[in-house]
Amino acid sequence: MLPPRIPRPALFQLFQWTAHPIGFMKKATERHGDCFLARFPKSPPVVFTSDPEMIRQLFTGKPEDLHAGEANRLAEFVVGKNSLLLLDGKEHIHERRMMTPSFHGERMLSYGLSMRESADRVIDRWPVGRPFSLHAQFQDITLDVILKTVLGLSEVESLERFRKLLVRMLKLSTHPSLLFLSALLPAERMHKLLSLGSKPLRLGPLKADMSQAMPWTRLSRLTQEVNTSLFAEMAWRRAVGVEGREDILSMLMQARDEDGRPMSDQTRSCATR
C-alpha cells in the first residue's frame, strides 16, 4: 500500500523540490504525515519518509531487494559513477569489502576523537544570546572531517586549497538548475552536458567565455580541478610511501581485493568526496 500522494502535477513538484527542498518536504509532511509519495517527470514514484522505524528497515534491508545505488542515481554528476553510493549487487560488495578495513576497531575510535575535536572547535565559536544559521557551522565541521580524517591533509596551504575547492563544489552541486536537470535527463545526457565545461564556449563575435555563466559547466571544471588535486596528492604519497598514515585515503591506497588488485585512483577519488 502506497503512502498519501501529493496531488500536484509532476513538473510542479520537481520545480518545488529543486528550488526549495526543505520547504517542499516540510509542507508535505505537515499535510500528509511523515511518509508521503511525490511524482517527478520521467521518474517512478518517490517515497519520502521521516519515520525512524521505516528508515531502520531501509538501512537494514536485503541488498537484493533495495537498490540504493539505483535510487541515488541523481547524485552521479556530483560523486562520480564509481562512487559506492551508486553501486549495487556484486560491484557494491566488491568495493565495500575493499573499504571495510578502513572503518574497523581502534581506527574508528581515533576517527571519532578527531571528529569530536573538529566539532568542538566550531562550537567554541558559536555566538551566545543571538540566533545564527547552523548550515554553515555544520558545513565547517563536515569539511574539517573530510580534509583531516578522510584526506589526511595537515599542511595549511593544502588544507585551505582543498577547503575552497570543496566549498565551491558543494555550493554549485546544489544549484536548483542542476538538480532540476539531473532529475529530467538520463545520466548519459547529464554527463554530456557537464562535459561542455571542459572547453570555452564562445558565441559569435563575443570573445568572453560564456560557459562561465552556466552552473553545470562551472561545476564540471571545478570537479576536474578537485580530481586533479586528489590525483596529484595520491601520486605524491605513492612516491614517499603511505606506511604509518591513518587517514582513509591512505588506507584506500593500500587496500587490495581478494586477487591482490588495488582500487583505481578514479574510484578512490569518488570514495573520498
Side-chain angles (χ1 to χ4, degrees):
M1 180 177 176
L2 291 174
R5 179 177 63 88
I6 299 176
R8 293 177 182 173
L11 187 63
F12 184 70
Q13 290 185 52
L14 176 61
F15 176 79
Q16 285 191 314
W17 178 67
T18 54
H20 304 287
I22 302 299
F24 169 80
M25 290 183 284
K26 183 178 179 181
K27 288 182 179 179
T29 300
E30 292 172 350
R31 183 170 299 179
H32 305 290
D34 56 11
C35 188
F36 58 88
L37 185 147
R39 293 299 302 264
F40 302 143
K42 299 181 180 181
S43 172
V46 180
V47 175
F48 289 80
T49 182
S50 56
D51 178 74
E53 176 57 25
M54 187 174 291
I55 293 171
R56 186 193 67 79
Q57 292 178 27
L58 288 171
F59 275 97
T60 58
K62 297 179 180 179
E64 57 266 27
D65 296 329
L66 302 172
H67 296 174
E70 185 179 343
N72 289 327
R73 192 56 55 187
L74 289 179
E76 182 176 332
F77 75 96
V78 178
V79 299
K81 62 181 179 180
N82 295 315
S83 171
L84 191 65
L85 294 174
L86 303 182
L87 299 179
D88 286 313
K90 293 181 179 179
E91 287 183 317
H92 179 89
I93 293 173
H94 177 266
E95 297 300 330
R96 185 170 178 175
R97 283 176 177 169
M98 293 185 71
M99 295 179 66
T100 297
S102 301
F103 301 93
H104 264 266
E106 292 184 2
R107 188 170 294 133
M108 282 304 298
L109 292 176
S110 66
Y111 292 160
L113 291 173
S114 177
M115 294 174 186
R116 180 177 175 178
E117 290 173 359
S118 296
D120 287 342
R121 278 194 294 271
V122 173
I123 291 172
D124 286 343
R125 301 198 303 263
W126 286 4
V128 177
R130 65 178 177 84
F132 61 96
S133 172
L134 282 175
H135 179 268
Q137 307 297 318
F138 287 162
Q139 187 180 72
D140 280 350
I141 295 172
T142 302
L143 286 173
D144 208 44
V145 169
I146 291 173
L147 294 169
K148 295 178 180 178
T149 304
V150 179
L151 299 181
L153 301 176
S154 55
E155 295 182 3
V156 175
E157 185 176 344
S158 296
L159 277 169
E160 288 308 308
R161 185 179 75 254
F162 270 95
R163 184 184 294 275
K164 290 178 181 178
L165 285 174
L166 292 176
V167 167
R168 289 164 56 200
M169 189 172 75
L170 285 170
K171 185 176 181 179
L172 272 175
S173 65
T174 55
H175 194 283
S177 64
L178 278 170
L179 295 175
F180 191 84
L181 286 172
S182 67
L184 285 178
L185 299 178
E188 297 76 15
R189 292 279 302 278
M190 194 65 191
H191 280 299
K192 188 174 182 179
L193 181 66
L194 289 173
S195 70
L196 295 174
S198 60
K199 297 179 181 179
L201 176 63
R202 306 187 190 283
L203 299 179
L206 298 177
K207 295 183 179 180
D209 182 1
M210 302 302 294
S211 64
Q212 290 298 320
M214 302 175 186
W216 50 87
T217 54
R218 297 204 309 272
L219 178 63
S220 175
R221 294 179 184 182
L222 196 53
T223 302
Q224 291 176 17
E225 192 174 351
V226 170
N227 281 334
T228 298
S229 297
L230 285 172
F231 294 157
E233 179 69 21
M234 285 184 272
W236 177 79
R237 292 188 192 185
R238 270 193 292 269
V240 301
V242 294
E243 292 78 9
R245 298 184 67 102
E246 295 292 326
D247 58 273
I248 292 173
L249 178 59
S250 294
M251 295 296 104
L252 295 181
M253 291 181 67
Q254 299 176 72
R256 298 293 185 273
D257 64 14
E258 55 272 16
D259 297 321
R261 294 174 299 187
M263 278 185 179
S264 67
D265 281 358
Q266 186 66 46
T267 301
R268 295 189 195 105
S269 175
C270 291
T272 53
R273 61 182 167 89

